[in-house]
Amino acid sequence: MNQSLRAACFGLLLFILSCTDPDVLKEDPNLPQITSLMPAEGYLGDSVEVLGSNLQNVDSAWVNGELAVILSSGNNSVRVIVPDSATSGPVLLHNGIGYSLGSDFTVLFNPLAELVVSTFPGLSPNDNFGPAFQIVPAPQGGFYFSAPERNQINYISEKGEVSVYAGTGQTGWQDGEANEASFNGPSGIDIDAEGNLYVADTYNNAIRKISVGGLVSTLAGSGQSGFQNGFSLQEASFNAPIDVAVDDQLLYISDFGNHAIRVLNMSEQQVSTAIGTGEGGFQDGDAEVAMLNFPLGIYYKTNDNTLIIADALNHSIRSYDAENGTLSTLAGNGEAGLVNGSLAEAQFSVPYDVIADGDVIYLVERTNHDVRRLSNGQVRTWAGTGEAGFQNGQAGQAKFYEPTGITIGPDGAWYVCDYNNGLLRKIHRP
């Protein structure tokens, strides 16, 4: 059936149902009864729970006339996937006997078709300022980004003007004024509410701080590779720390080479281990037994006190509950791939960095060359084709080349460190 004919048939069915006395439909015990949708709005490809009664035998579902895939059904709920071709309109269920019309589901927009990818304003592929590894918004506007190959932390204005924020550019380990300090492969960065910047100084096996006043200091790390807790300067050791996430006086550290998440209590100057045994593996559960496999980007969600982890070689997204000390898997089954769908079905390939907007998680994948989104029990591609390259334009056709960092700007756009293209990219509405 072609699209116009299908739309006409659906419109006729809606007309018939709208002319039927609602009390008659509700009194028929053989028909499904819809009371509400959860959520009532979302994106194409999201899952929606249709709540009601007598839903256990539902065999077909539509969103404004577009046939939807049914994920699960029970007496009081049916979970369906919003079709890629759907538009805003009513949800309709059928159980082999008759139809039941529910309230409208609002389709927000189709990101792959309606978002665009562009190069950060003022930059061009010929610029040579990085490449940028991670990025965070700066309080004064613009962004800070790490440039590990240049041993620097840089600042980029909203117009694309790049300047050095800290680091001489020489490999070293020197505290002091920002223009005299030195780093060795600074990678992950995060910023606190006061504007202090925290840096995972990867090859120095140290955690550094750049104060609002422009002073660089060492917070933790002996400079030697190891896996030792204790007093942050003299005793604590790391093995290629690659990212940091700040939560007030606690600083979470992705200890890449130790397959661990460490915690620096900055007020007590003590380092402890939150997750990890020092051995790589894939295990959920209590912190004492939970295992990671080369964790990379981390992000602390203040709304529910969880740490989101890009577990790179487990090809999964993990969640650490900081209150009860347990690790769980949000999405990914340990196998590398590029599969969208439910959290259980989805596959990733070397997720590199994560960012959250409330309960919605965005991530970049270095070997899938894309940006993905986790929301409402579903994983979808937000931008990129899965192939390496450089292409601006519609998000579903744009190309990245091994992206390593992502943040959300004050304008609501997504900013990506497109590492091997040596550029910062922006995902936004046109």
Side-chain angles (χ1 to χ4, degrees):
M1 183 182 297
N2 64 43
Q3 188 171 357
S4 58
L5 181 57
R6 184 171 61 244
C9 292
F10 186 73
L12 178 61
L13 179 58
L14 290 184
F15 175 75
I16 294 171
L17 290 173
S18 66
C19 295
T20 304
D21 187 342
D23 291 332
V24 172
L25 293 175
K26 289 181 180 178
E27 291 173 0
D28 189 338
N30 297 313
L31 293 178
Q33 303 295 333
I34 302 174
T35 57
S36 62
L37 306 177
M38 182 174 280
E41 62 178 22
Y43 298 96
L44 302 178
D46 281 357
S47 67
V48 180
E49 190 170 14
V50 184
L51 302 175
S53 59
N54 198 30
L55 304 180
Q56 67 275 11
N57 294 321
V58 167
D59 55 26
S60 301
W62 294 264
V63 178
N64 201 24
E66 297 297 326
L67 187 64
V69 173
I70 298 176
L71 292 177
S72 61
S73 62
N75 184 57
N76 298 313
S77 71
V78 174
R79 184 170 289 276
V80 302
I81 297 292
V82 180
D84 287 342
S85 55
T87 55
S88 298
V91 171
L92 183 70
L93 299 181
H94 180 265
N95 67 351
I97 298 175
Y99 296 89
S100 179
L101 184 65
S103 55
D104 283 3
F105 179 83
T106 301
V107 175
L108 297 178
F109 66 94
N110 179 354
L112 293 180
E114 299 182 44
L115 291 177
V116 296
V117 176
S118 60
T119 302
F120 193 100
L123 297 181
S124 74
N126 296 322
D127 290 326
N128 185 21
F129 63 86
F133 186 85
Q134 268 198 17
I135 183 171
V136 296
Q140 69 272 30
F143 299 85
Y144 296 117
F145 66 89
S146 60
E149 294 183 19
R150 290 178 174 264
N151 298 305
Q152 291 174 331
I153 306 299
N154 291 338
Y155 169 76
I156 185 169
S157 72
E158 292 157 321
K159 296 181 179 179
E161 300 163 332
V162 179
S163 58
V164 177
Y165 184 63
T168 64
Q170 300 298 312
T171 300
W173 187 359
Q174 178 67 46
D175 288 338
E177 296 289 341
N179 62 350
E180 298 176 352
S182 56
F183 302 88
N184 189 2
S187 300
I189 56 176
D190 199 9
I191 194 167
D192 66 18
E194 297 175 353
N196 299 300
L197 202 63
Y198 300 88
V199 182
D201 194 1
T202 302
Y203 298 122
N204 277 330
N205 292 301
I207 306 303
R208 315 287 290 280
K209 175 183 177 180
I210 309 172
S211 72
V212 177
L215 286 176
V216 177
S217 59
T218 300
L219 297 181
S222 63
Q224 301 298 314
S225 175
F227 191 11
Q228 179 69 42
N229 292 323
F231 183 66
S232 57
L233 290 177
Q234 279 92 350
E235 298 175 341
S237 60
F238 308 93
N239 186 1
I242 202 163
D243 199 12
V244 289
V246 64
D247 173 35
D248 194 19
Q249 288 300 304
L250 297 180
L251 188 68
Y252 291 90
I253 302 159
S254 180
D255 196 356
F256 180 77
N258 282 325
H259 311 282
I261 300 297
R262 315 286 291 282
V263 184
L264 167 60
N265 187 315
M266 291 183 281
S267 61
E268 298 178 1
Q269 295 186 314
Q270 292 287 321
V271 173
S272 59
T273 299
I275 315 165
T277 63
E279 299 291 331
F282 195 179
Q283 177 69 47
D284 288 339
D286 293 335
E288 294 80 8
V289 298
M291 301 179 77
L292 302 162
N293 194 6
F294 292 110
L296 285 169
I298 55 177
Y299 182 85
Y300 191 82
K301 290 176 60 191
T302 56
N303 66 323
D304 59 5
N305 297 317
T306 59
L307 185 75
I308 308 302
I309 305 165
D311 193 2
L313 292 193
N314 278 328
H315 310 290
S316 64
I317 305 302
R318 315 288 290 280
S319 175
Y320 171 69
D321 189 322
E323 293 185 352
N324 63 29
T326 57
L327 180 70
S328 59
T329 300
L330 290 179
N333 57 15
E335 298 293 328
L338 178 48
V339 178
N340 291 316
S342 70
L343 298 180
E345 297 169 333
Q347 289 185 341
F348 308 91
S349 184
V350 192
Y352 234 75
D353 194 23
V354 288
I355 188 79
D357 182 9
D359 289 326
V360 180
I361 298 170
Y362 299 91
L363 64 113
V364 290
E365 298 178 274
R366 189 157 186 176
T367 52
N368 275 336
H369 314 285
D370 64 5
V371 179
R372 310 278 289 282
R373 175 182 183 267
L374 282 69
S375 176
N376 193 29
Q378 294 292 306
V379 176
R380 66 174 303 133
T381 299
W382 202 242
T385 65
E387 296 181 354
F390 176 72
Q391 178 69 47
N392 285 326
Q394 194 177 69
Q397 299 174 359
K399 291 184 179 182
F400 304 87
Y401 191 4
E402 297 190 350
T404 56
I406 185 170
T407 195
I408 299 174
D411 57 355
W414 299 263
Y415 293 84
V416 176
C417 296
D418 192 1
Y419 197 80
N420 272 358
N421 277 323
L423 286 170
L424 295 174
R425 311 284 292 283
K426 180 180 180 180
I427 306 170
H428 57 100
R429 286 186 183 250

